[in-house]
Amino acid sequence: MTFLMALLWGTAAAANGTHAAQPVAATFRVTRQCGVAQDMQLDADAALSNCPGKVSEVGAVMPASEVAGRRLYLNADLRFSAPDAINLSVLITAYHGNQVASHSGGNYLFNGGVLQASAYIPSEVDKVGVFIQVNSGPPRLDIHSLSLSRSSAVYAPGQMSVDSEAYLERAFDKLSNYYLYYDAARLRTLRHSAGISASGAVSPTELSLTLKDVTRLLDDPHSRFLSAAEVRTLGAAKGRVRAGSPSENPPDNQPIDATLLAPDLAYLKLVSKSAVTREARQRYAHQVRDVLLDMHTRGARRWIIDLREQSGGSTGPLIAGFRPLYGNIDVAYTVDRAGKRSRWAFGIPADSDDQEPYFSGADPVFAGEREPVALLIGKRTASAGEALLTAFLQRPYTATFGAATAGLTTSVFDQPWPDGASLAISTGRYADRNGQVVPEKIAPDHAVDVQAEDHRDAVFEAARHWISQL
């Protein structure tokens, strides 16, 4: 088949949203037991063993003669027995000599089954590497089958189906219009590399690795692309007890643990994250507020709030639940790339978050805005945890203890697309109640050096000492 005939065939296939694939022979090298690798043929049963501090990997490096100018497809049937999804990395890299000619890589939220990824291999390359990496996860991940295949057609760079090109443009339109760290020259470069990676795609479903690579190259940990399958997996994880959806939890399963350490001193620790549905968000905010109200009724007038494990969730209901401790004021703001501020009035009666008021004027509350608060923070305090911390910044009689936070102090635009996929991007920076944009990582007022051999909770002890003086 001549190049022109293949190009015409590929155009027709792309228009129909189908691809004709041919198998590609390769020998994969599989890490089986804590860094010990051995060669094995595709489609043979094998296992990846997860070893602390090491990357488990299955990969192949092969000549590019069969795949150059074509789209390369990876199909991996992987099985494991674990209740939660794991993160896998897929990398497809093409080399011209010792130079990288193209690279597509991204993380997949995976709960077992068939993992599919694909990318275009430029015509001028001479070597291709395909890798699956497991950085953490179950002790054993079984490889039920592996296969590589290539498109029958040869494609010109940038040639793809109309639907695929429209899908790619939709992603870059969103980045151009809303991305917090917008840089026109950088986006043009990303659009060019994405167009290469997407070449030969006959359906938007083939663009997951391409768009994951785009968000990876943004170098922004709060931005990511999830396929429709991953969105479903994430939704299922949020629905599990103590991991996400309060609407799924029984009434006595509170999202916050509370203890009276002294007649007037309460210790609070969030133990679950708020959810996405309206019912779950409402319930979460009310449960948190009710715990505070109960502690206050029992005598609490000083508060230690532990945010060291609060690594995400929904911002609105989390902040709304703590409303009694900061009063009916705008506790913080989001500032977009144009400098426009959006107020955080979550939980103020008759006010709303996205037209979703959490409380009414008839809801019970107490005036705790001048009661001392100590917040425990650390490197796992992230995203919504950092948002709650921001709501307390510049509050009187308040101090923070521990270590700097994770650095996810941005709001995220994360509305699913019609096909169920999601391109989440940072759209604004957190700012405190005075309008001051907070640092990427929020440092504590009182840094506490925690030693591994120290059996005491030094951060907690420092906070308790401080608050006992007030």
Side-chain angles (χ1 to χ4, degrees), residues 215-382:
T215 54
R216 180 185 65 85
L217 292 171
L218 289 174
D219 197 24
D220 168 20
H222 232 172
S223 297
R224 65 177 180 176
F225 176 81
L226 296 177
S227 67
E230 290 176 289
V231 171
R232 290 191 296 270
T233 297
L234 186 62
K238 285 183 175 180
R240 294 194 182 99
V241 173
R242 308 294 279 188
S245 175
S247 64
E248 301 280 333
N249 295 344
D252 60 345
N253 188 9
Q254 296 290 345
I256 181 171
D257 284 340
T259 305
L260 274 178
L261 302 176
D264 68 340
L265 177 59
Y267 170 79
L268 308 176
K269 183 174 182 178
L270 291 152
V271 293
S272 71
K273 302 172 185 178
S274 52
V276 176
T277 67
R278 183 183 179 92
E279 176 195 8
R281 289 163 62 89
Q282 289 282 333
R283 182 175 178 183
Y284 188 94
H286 280 256
Q287 285 180 318
V288 173
R289 189 278 318 274
D290 290 347
V291 169
L292 267 67
L293 185 63
D294 176 64
M295 289 288 101
H296 198 267
T297 301
R298 293 166 58 185
R301 297 297 182 271
R302 294 178 296 160
W303 310 82
I304 296 177
I305 302 173
D306 194 340
L307 300 181
R308 288 175 292 180
E309 299 297 324
Q310 186 62 23
S311 58
S314 300
T315 299
L318 182 61
I319 292 175
F322 283 90
R323 176 57 62 180
L325 293 181
Y326 23 73
N328 283 357
I329 63 170
D330 296 341
V331 292
Y333 301 88
T334 298
V335 183
D336 68 14
R337 72 188 195 198
K340 180 182 177 182
R341 296 194 313 185
S342 301
R343 53 196 289 258
W344 291 9
F346 313 117
I348 294 179
D351 219 316
S352 65
D353 162 34
D354 297 329
Q355 309 303 313
E356 183 183 350
Y358 290 100
F359 303 119
S360 70
D363 275 293
V365 73
F366 61 90
E369 57 266 30
R370 298 183 68 82
E371 297 179 354
V373 172
L375 298 116
L376 315 185
I377 63 174
K379 63 183 180 180
R380 289 177 58 83
T381 306

Side-chain angles (χ1 to χ4, degrees), residues 37-346:
Q38 70 177 48
D39 290 333
M40 59 169 292
Q41 296 295 322
L42 290 172
D43 297 325
D45 289 336
L48 291 176
S49 299
N50 178 43
C51 305
K54 296 186 178 182
V55 174
S56 295
E57 179 179 86
V58 54
V61 178
M62 57 195 169
S65 53
E66 284 192 77
V67 296
R70 303 172 190 267
R71 192 160 187 85
L72 181 65
Y73 300 92
L74 166 68
N75 287 271
D77 189 349
L78 309 173
R79 313 289 177 85
F80 63 90
S81 57
D84 298 317
I86 63 172
N87 282 294
L88 299 178
S89 295
V90 175
L91 312 172
I92 299 178
T93 306
Y95 303 87
H96 182 66
N98 293 324
Q99 301 296 315
V100 174
S102 69
H103 175 79
S104 296
N107 294 326
Y108 284 81
L109 187 65
F110 185 68
N111 62 353
V114 178
L115 177 68
Q116 297 178 318
S118 63
Y120 176 73
I121 307 303
S123 58
E124 70 276 10
V125 304
D126 47 44
K127 185 171 60 177
V128 176
V130 180
F131 299 92
I132 301 173
Q133 296 177 341
V134 184
N135 296 306
S136 63
R140 179 185 171 95
L141 181 67
D142 290 319
I143 304 170
H144 186 70
S145 66
L146 290 169
S147 65
L148 288 176
S149 58
R150 65 172 191 176
S151 62
S152 297
V154 174
Y155 294 94
Q159 181 189 8
M160 67 191 81
S161 72
V162 173
D163 287 348
S164 299
E165 187 166 14
Y167 201 83
L168 200 59
E169 285 303 317
R170 176 175 189 162
F172 278 89
D173 284 346
K174 184 174 181 179
L175 288 167
S176 297
N177 292 327
Y178 302 109
Y179 185 51
L180 175 62
Y181 307 110
Y182 172 77
D183 181 300
R186 189 181 185 196
L187 277 190
R188 282 196 298 270
T189 300
L190 286 176
R191 177 63 181 86
H192 175 74
S193 62
I196 300 298
S197 174
S199 302
V202 298
S203 166
T205 59
E206 295 184 10
L207 299 182
S208 62
L209 187 61
T210 295
L211 290 175
K212 285 178 180 296
D213 199 51
V214 168
T215 54
R216 180 185 65 85
L217 292 171
L218 289 174
D219 197 24
D220 168 20
H222 232 172
S223 297
R224 65 177 180 176
F225 176 81
L226 296 177
S227 67
E230 290 176 289
V231 171
R232 290 191 296 270
T233 297
L234 186 62
K238 285 183 175 180
R240 294 194 182 99
V241 173
R242 308 294 279 188
S245 175
S247 64
E248 301 280 333
N249 295 344
D252 60 345
N253 188 9
Q254 296 290 345
I256 181 171
D257 284 340
T259 305
L260 274 178
L261 302 176
D264 68 340
L265 177 59
Y267 170 79
L268 308 176
K269 183 174 182 178
L270 291 152
V271 293
S272 71
K273 302 172 185 178
S274 52
V276 176
T277 67
R278 183 183 179 92
E279 176 195 8
R281 289 163 62 89
Q282 289 282 333
R283 182 175 178 183
Y284 188 94
H286 280 256
Q287 285 180 318
V288 173
R289 189 278 318 274
D290 290 347
V291 169
L292 267 67
L293 185 63
D294 176 64
M295 289 288 101
H296 198 267
T297 301
R298 293 166 58 185
R301 297 297 182 271
R302 294 178 296 160
W303 310 82
I304 296 177
I305 302 173
D306 194 340
L307 300 181
R308 288 175 292 180
E309 299 297 324
Q310 186 62 23
S311 58
S314 300
T315 299
L318 182 61
I319 292 175
F322 283 90
R323 176 57 62 180
L325 293 181
Y326 23 73
N328 283 357
I329 63 170
D330 296 341
V331 292
Y333 301 88
T334 298
V335 183
D336 68 14
R337 72 188 195 198
K340 180 182 177 182
R341 296 194 313 185
S342 301
R343 53 196 289 258
W344 291 9
F346 313 117

Side-chain angles (χ1 to χ4, degrees), residues 440-452:
E440 183 176 297
K441 295 185 177 183
I442 304 174
D445 299 318
H446 304 275
V448 180
D449 184 18
V450 178
Q451 301 297 324

